[in-house]
Amino acid sequence: LKALPDVATLSRMLKEADQRSVDKLRQLLGDLVLDRLKSLALPRITLDFDGSVQSTKRRAEGAAAGYNKKKKGARSYYPLFCTVAQTGQFFDVHHRPGNVHDSNGAVDFMMRCFEKAQSELPNTRFDSRIDAAFFNKEICDVFDTNKVQFTGSVPFERFAELKQMIEGRQRWRIIDGQWSYFEARWKPKSWDTKYRFIFTRRKVKSQYKGPLQLDLFEPRDFNYQYKVIVTNKTNSAKNVVLFHNGRSSQEAIFGEAKNNCGLNVIATRCLAGNQVYTLCAMM
């Protein structure tokens, strides 16, 4: 009896064993996806990254109160997913509590995803798309170092210099009837590497306030919505903008998985059990 571990040690050993099992299931998921991608022999593969809230609705292990647009203050998980745009598959997941920032643990997770995919598909070109929550020097450098062509939304409201560049711009190049752009090589002061920044504006109809006038010849006013994209791609600005705007397809993958595969289901109070359930929904 003296040789048996105490309750705390036994509990820790069981949790470690559970985590090893979860990691093996994650590895199996990635291997299945890579087998499929090998059979397709695609010349280019897009790995997209984003988080999605899983509301626990009760006190599940590892959950925390964080951002939840549907139920504010509710406890949740906030896993970071990697998906394959060309096939609509989940490639991997980094499980997190609901009170972390979008970029929490993202650098190491992205590195693992790219290293695993590139080692199995050495002749394939990889690219990726991220939103403004992931905009930082470390993540951009991860893409560049791994020779991954990327685009990322820039929270330009945080940078006075970018706002001034937009406000002072007189000549915008036309992409189509809605979009126009200009571009520049730029970097925040704390960075040591310049990247290509594409400034875009989209023409939208301004909201009309007042009584409705049924006059076909009444002039319409237009406003502009602005967006800044950082990239290491060398394609035309039009191709970069179209590629980046396609990242909304990841939301469709999340929606389908939640509606049809139970990705939003929290099955147990146990963290490992919920991770296994999420991985099964991803498969």
Side-chain angles (χ1 to χ4, degrees):
L1 290 174
K2 290 182 179 179
L4 293 175
D6 56 32
V7 174
T9 303
L10 182 61
S11 177
R12 178 178 55 80
M13 292 171 62
L14 290 172
K15 286 183 181 296
E16 290 174 352
D18 285 344
Q19 191 57 53
R20 287 194 295 271
S21 298
V22 171
D23 290 340
K24 288 181 179 179
L25 191 59
R26 282 181 54 218
Q27 183 176 354
L28 174 62
L29 168 65
D31 291 343
L32 290 172
V33 174
L34 287 173
D35 286 344
R36 177 62 173 164
L37 294 176
K38 287 178 185 177
S39 69
L40 294 174
L42 300 172
R44 180 174 68 91
I45 293 174
T46 304
L47 298 183
D48 291 327
F49 298 89
D50 205 357
S52 185
V53 175
Q54 293 177 316
S55 181
T56 61
K57 300 179 182 177
R58 55 182 175 177
R59 288 191 171 272
E61 181 185 6
Y67 172 73
N68 191 330
K69 63 181 180 181
K70 292 185 177 179
K71 293 190 176 181
K72 294 183 179 180
R75 298 177 68 83
S76 63
Y77 296 127
Y78 191 36
L80 175 60
F81 293 100
C82 175
T83 60
V84 183
Q86 283 77 7
T87 60
Q89 293 173 297
F90 286 94
F91 181 60
D92 204 352
V93 62
H94 173 49
H95 208 272
R96 308 176 296 184
N99 62 343
V100 301
H101 186 265
D102 296 67
S103 61
N104 181 277
V107 173
D108 292 338
F109 177 63
M110 291 175 177
M111 283 284 290
R112 290 197 303 269
C113 289
F114 288 127
E115 288 172 356
K116 182 174 182 176
Q118 289 173 333
S119 65
E120 297 294 329
L121 300 164
N123 298 319
T124 303
R125 194 188 81 191
F126 287 88
D127 47 27
S128 185
R129 300 169 289 203
I130 54 175
D131 68 14
F134 297 94
F135 177 76
N136 62 56
K137 177 184 180 299
E138 197 172 6
I139 288 179
C140 290
D141 288 347
V142 164
F143 290 126
D144 220 30
T145 302
N146 286 275
K147 298 180 180 178
V148 175
Q149 296 187 7
F150 75 94
T151 61
S153 298
V154 179
F156 67 90
E157 301 87 352
R158 288 175 12 203
F159 300 98
E161 188 174 346
L162 291 182
K163 291 173 64 178
Q164 292 170 3
M165 291 169 70
I166 291 173
E167 291 169 353
R169 186 71 180 184
Q170 298 295 323
R171 184 169 178 263
W172 292 74
R173 299 179 181 273
I174 302 299
I175 294 179
D176 55 30
Q178 281 189 314
W179 293 89
S180 53
Y181 80 98
F182 72 93
E183 58 180 271
R185 297 285 296 180
W186 185 79
K187 69 177 184 66
K189 293 180 180 179
S190 59
W191 294 22
D192 54 13
T193 305
K194 287 186 176 181
Y195 283 96
R196 181 188 183 191
F197 284 74
I198 299 177
F199 301 75
T200 66
R201 67 179 185 181
R202 182 186 181 190
K203 186 184 294 185
V204 294
K205 296 175 183 178
S206 60
Q207 184 179 6
Y208 182 82
K209 296 182 179 180
L212 179 64
Q213 299 293 326
L214 299 178
D215 184 355
L216 296 176
F217 301 99
E218 183 179 358
R220 293 184 180 271
D221 292 329
F222 292 93
N223 289 326
Y224 290 100
Q225 292 179 345
Y226 297 91
K227 181 165 64 177
V228 181
I229 299 171
V230 60
T231 185
N232 62 352
K233 282 179 169 289
T234 57
N235 307 58
S236 68
K238 179 179 180 179
N239 287 340
V240 171
V241 172
L242 291 175
F243 169 77
H244 186 69
N245 289 346
R247 68 175 301 275
S248 58
S249 63
Q250 192 178 39
E251 290 299 327
I253 297 175
F254 291 159
E256 184 177 355
K258 288 183 176 182
N259 291 332
N260 301 325
C261 303
L263 186 67
N264 60 337
V265 174
I266 304 301
T268 75
R269 293 180 181 269
C270 170
L271 175 60
N274 289 327
Q275 289 175 328
V276 167
Y277 200 95
T278 294
L279 286 165
C280 291
M282 292 164 65
M283 288 185 180

